[in-house]
Amino acid sequence: MENSQNSNSNLNPNPIRIQNLVSSPIAVLWPTIDGSLGLSEEESVSYARRFYKFGFALLPFLWAVNCFYFWPVLRSRSFPRIRPYIVGSAIGFAVFMAIISSWALTFAIGGERLFGPVWDKLVMYNLADKLGLTGWS
Amino acid sequence: MAQNQRPTSILESLGEEIVRIVAPVSICMFMVVILVSILNSSSSSSAATVSSIATIAYNESSSDSLWDKFTGALLNSLVFVAIITVATFVMVLLFYLRCVKFLKYYMGFSAFIVLGFLGGEIALFLIEDFDVPVDCFSFLVVLFNFSAVGVLAVFMSKMPILVTQGYLVLIGMLVAYWFTLLPEWTTWALLVALALYDLAAVLLPVGPLRLLVELAISRDEDIPALVYEARPVVYHESSPRDAVQTRMRVWRERNEISGNLPAVLDSVSEGNVISESSVDEIETSDSNPNSESSVVRAEEGQVLIRNSELLVPLIDIGGNVQPHGEEVSASNENLMLEGIGLGSSGAIKLGLGDFIFYSVLVGRAAMYDYMTVYACYLAIVAGLGITLMLLAIYQKALPALPVSIALGIMFYFLTRLFLEVFVVQCSLNLLMF
């Protein structure tokens, strides 16, 4: 299922984080949570940007996946180009979750007392019955 | 783990590989069993069976005679297998005509349908069962998010591995649950027919899946299909001083690999040399534990830095089982829906159809009793182990369905006929259990 479009033409090495050249372990910080199986830094920038922009299409889950994927970027500050997108995704996800959970909890806890007869029309199981969604059409 | 360098034993490397493929299969089966137990116990036993292409020929009703049910189920399964064969041949044709984009879009579309509609229906079942007071807006938003991210995970190759694997298991679970809603005889006949079809399609020279695999190999491409790929096993350096875990990641283009092998070996044989290869992201894995090199992976090249005495690193391309020394020449196969193979990174790939039909078997067993579930689960895992062993021996794409389904069905009927009577009688007479 791998469908990488990496062209092997440009050989721009990303900055190598070398602590000590001689006889010591070289610590490389990967921007993705998959480590060496994941993306390199150049690709990460474009992917982080794309996830961030797509998340605005009512997809907070994509923002959450973005934060999860680039978790090392959030933990350490050594990826200045990727970080703004991830921080933006994290903030967006938090805001969205606040909105949705407050609405859902109000709806669930408030119930009929708060909403009146509209509650019965909005709740999902009634709606499913009315529209016959569970009839395995 | 010993602190002095010792090669990882067969048990650790092979066991790790097997666990990484058996675990998601088990999770999928477990979730299907849970779904079946929750949703089928609450609704009445005479739930309306779903009419689909699998029941196009005959719709079973409980009043028919045994022979009628049998012939009806046989007819159903033949029709289904015929439809699957035609569809597979169409896919081979499309792949041959290089319509790979269309196949990818179709894959994404089917993932969206399964996650959105099937997932939505099952979620609605659960909501109705538990009377969860969720409103339609939040439900729709959550469902939309869930299916959109799922389509992206299946479509794009660069999502977090966990997310992609999780979504594939979820898709398998949803389709498997849907299949368990078929009438009983039809389900069993379907499983047998599909196991036989899988055997024929992968092993016969005229089989569509074998054609697909050979096409993919000859072009060095990946088949666009729903395939679960286990995370490749990283061979850790057992010494804690080696902080970097080196691993092998083989790209699809084998000719590039062979072309760059001499380059990498040359560079390594000199001391303290920094060299670059022009192939993206090929790393050598230091499977020889006496070395102390570390590999730093640069952008689109490779930098190899060596500190002290170094023996030539083994380029372990068949990352599956190192002691067996598998080569990449046999490991670049993957199958469409059914079948097991080795992915281009040396990790084991298992088609999503295998997930689905294993879970269908176990789900059907769950509809009878949990005893059959345990027996069938053990049988299926044993069959999967046998298939993996055969994969290691034969080094080509193999059908993963036949052995497991045969063992599973055999154990289901044996359990139902013999074991259950035994256990029930023992329990009733307070003998054991």
Side-chain angles (χ1 to χ4, degrees):
Chain A
M1 280 193 68
E2 306 176 71
N3 197 5
S4 166
Q5 284 100 10
N6 284 338
S7 66
N8 47 5
S9 52
N10 45 342
L11 284 171
N12 302 326
N14 64 342
I16 304 165
R17 283 151 194 87
I18 300 181
Q19 293 170 354
N20 215 340
L21 248 178
V22 179
S23 69
S24 73
I26 294 181
V28 176
L29 207 53
W30 298 105
T32 65
I33 205 174
D34 286 335
S36 50
L37 293 170
L39 299 170
S40 63
E41 186 167 343
E42 281 302 317
E43 302 167 317
S44 306
V45 177
S46 62
Y47 268 93
R49 191 186 312 138
R50 219 189 303 170
F51 282 172
Y52 177 67
K53 290 197 178 144
F54 269 121
F56 280 107
L58 271 193
L59 288 171
F61 194 35
L62 197 57
W63 280 332
V65 168
N66 202 9
C67 296
F68 172 68
Y69 197 24
F70 293 107
W71 187 248
V73 174
L74 275 181
R75 305 285 329 267
S76 81
R77 291 186 176 267
S78 39
F79 295 100
R81 285 187 295 168
I82 311 179
R83 201 178 162 83
Y85 296 117
I86 310 301
V87 170
S89 303
I91 295 177
F93 177 64
V95 165
F96 225 112
M97 279 312 289
I99 297 178
I100 285 193
S101 54
S102 60
W103 160 250
L105 283 174
T106 321
F107 188 86
I109 301 180
E112 297 224 36
R113 300 187 307 267
L114 198 58
F115 288 88
V118 187
W119 196 87
D120 272 332
K121 288 205 209 125
L122 282 182
V123 81
M124 201 58 211
Y125 40 78
N126 287 347
L127 215 59
D129 278 338
K130 201 167 56 154
L131 298 174
L133 290 173
T134 52
W136 282 111
S137 50
Chain B
M1 226 171 11
Q3 50 275 44
N4 45 347
Q5 292 112 350
R6 197 189 64 196
T8 55
S9 66
I10 295 182
L11 206 58
E12 286 172 20
S13 55
L14 183 58
E16 181 82 29
E17 298 269 353
I18 291 185
V19 164
R20 284 191 186 178
I21 199 75
V22 167
V25 173
S26 312
I27 292 176
C28 186
M29 290 199 267
F30 178 65
M31 294 211 288
V32 170
V33 167
I34 288 188
L35 267 184
V36 164
S37 337
I38 293 178
L39 292 176
N40 282 33
S41 61
S42 39
S43 62
S44 60
S45 56
S46 62
T49 57
V50 50
S51 63
S52 65
I53 48 173
T55 52
I56 215 176
Y58 160 78
N59 218 335
E60 180 179 322
S61 65
S62 40
S63 57
D64 290 346
S65 73
L66 219 61
W67 181 248
D68 273 346
K69 285 192 197 175
F70 183 64
T71 46
L74 225 55
L75 220 54
N76 269 340
S77 52
L78 280 175
V79 168
F80 192 72
V81 167
I83 293 180
I84 294 262
T85 318
V86 168
T88 318
F89 271 116
V90 167
M91 189 171 155
V92 173
L93 190 66
L94 285 176
F95 191 66
Y96 182 70
L97 297 174
R98 297 182 190 271
C99 306
V100 179
K101 274 251 174 232
F102 175 75
L103 286 173
K104 288 218 80 148
Y105 285 139
Y106 176 70
M107 211 169 83
F109 172 71
S110 63
F112 181 70
I113 292 284
V114 167
L115 286 172
F117 288 94
L118 224 53
E121 295 241 23
I122 292 181
L124 282 176
F125 280 151
L126 289 170
I127 287 177
E128 286 187 347
D129 268 353
F130 293 117
D131 281 334
V132 180
V134 70
D135 65 305
C136 50
F137 303 121
S138 357
F139 180 76
L140 280 174
V141 168
V142 169
L143 191 64
F144 172 62
N145 267 273
F146 177 69
S147 31
V149 177
V151 169
L152 285 178
V154 156
F155 225 158
M156 291 170 35
S157 56
K158 280 309 173 185
M159 284 284 242
I161 293 182
L162 258 172
V163 169
T164 313
Q165 290 177 337
Y167 266 108
L168 285 171
V169 169
L170 270 170
I171 292 178
M173 176 191 90
L174 293 174
V175 178
Y177 178 72
W178 185 80
F179 266 108
T180 60
L181 293 175
L182 295 175
E184 179 161 12
W185 286 72
T186 308
T187 319
W188 294 112
L190 198 65
L191 283 172
V192 173
L194 278 169
L196 292 172
Y197 163 75
D198 199 19
L199 201 60
V202 175
L203 295 179
L204 286 183
V206 79
L209 292 177
R210 181 168 175 154
L211 293 175
L212 205 58
V213 164
E214 284 170 0
L215 266 179
I217 293 177
S218 64
R219 291 189 202 167
D220 267 339
E221 281 178 10
D222 271 339
I223 304 176
L226 288 173
V227 163
Y228 181 93
E229 180 168 350
R231 200 186 277 250
V233 175
V234 176
Y235 292 112
H236 298 253
E237 293 288 274
S238 37
S239 153
R241 287 171 294 158
D242 296 293
V244 175
Q245 295 159 1
T246 60
R247 55 167 301 278
M248 189 60 200
R249 189 160 165 205
V250 171
W251 227 231
R252 298 187 305 264
E253 293 77 19
R254 272 173 294 156
N255 29 0
E256 288 193 34
I257 295 170
S258 50
N260 275 287
L261 263 180
V264 173
L265 280 176
D266 269 307
S267 63
V268 160
S269 54
E270 311 158 27
N272 282 355
V273 163
I274 301 179
S275 73
E276 283 185 358
S277 82
S278 57
V279 179
D280 327 332
E281 298 159 354
I282 284 192
E283 308 152 323
T284 59
S285 85
D286 259 342
S287 39
N288 193 325
N290 287 329
S291 62
E292 244 187 63
S293 77
S294 349
V295 173
V296 168
R297 186 179 139 210
E299 167 75 31
E300 241 118 42
Q302 172 203 333
V303 175
L304 189 64
I305 299 180
R306 216 167 66 118
N307 344 19
S308 49
E309 17 112 55
L310 205 169
L311 304 91
V312 175
L314 269 179
I315 298 196
D316 175 35
I317 25 191
N320 192 10
V321 177
Q322 187 194 343
H324 291 193
E326 295 179 340
E327 299 302 317
V328 77
S329 50
S331 67
N332 258 4
E333 294 129 357
N334 44 19
L335 290 192
M336 178 188 70
L337 270 192
E338 283 114 30
I340 194 170
L342 299 174
S344 50
S345 57
I348 300 182
K349 283 191 177 189
L350 187 60
L352 211 60
D354 299 324
F355 275 82
I356 293 174
F357 290 111
Y358 293 163
S359 310
V360 169
L361 203 156
V362 176
R364 246 312 143 179
M367 284 177 164
Y368 185 67
D369 193 42
Y370 282 128
M371 213 183 336
T372 43
V373 169
Y374 303 139
C376 290
Y377 170 73
L378 289 173
I380 288 182
V381 170
L384 191 59
I386 293 178
T387 315
L388 287 174
M389 215 164 59
L390 289 176
L391 184 69
I393 294 177
Y394 285 109
Q395 304 246 1
K396 52 188 272 225
L398 289 178
L401 276 185
V403 181
S404 288
I405 299 279
L407 282 177
I409 293 186
M410 192 173 72
F411 272 75
Y412 173 80
F413 284 110
L414 283 178
T415 307
R416 189 165 163 170
L417 291 173
F418 298 121
L419 191 62
E420 188 193 9
V421 177
F422 173 66
V423 168
V424 166
Q425 287 303 317
C426 279
S427 310
L428 283 180
N429 291 303
L430 301 177
L431 196 56
M432 54 173 169
F433 307 115

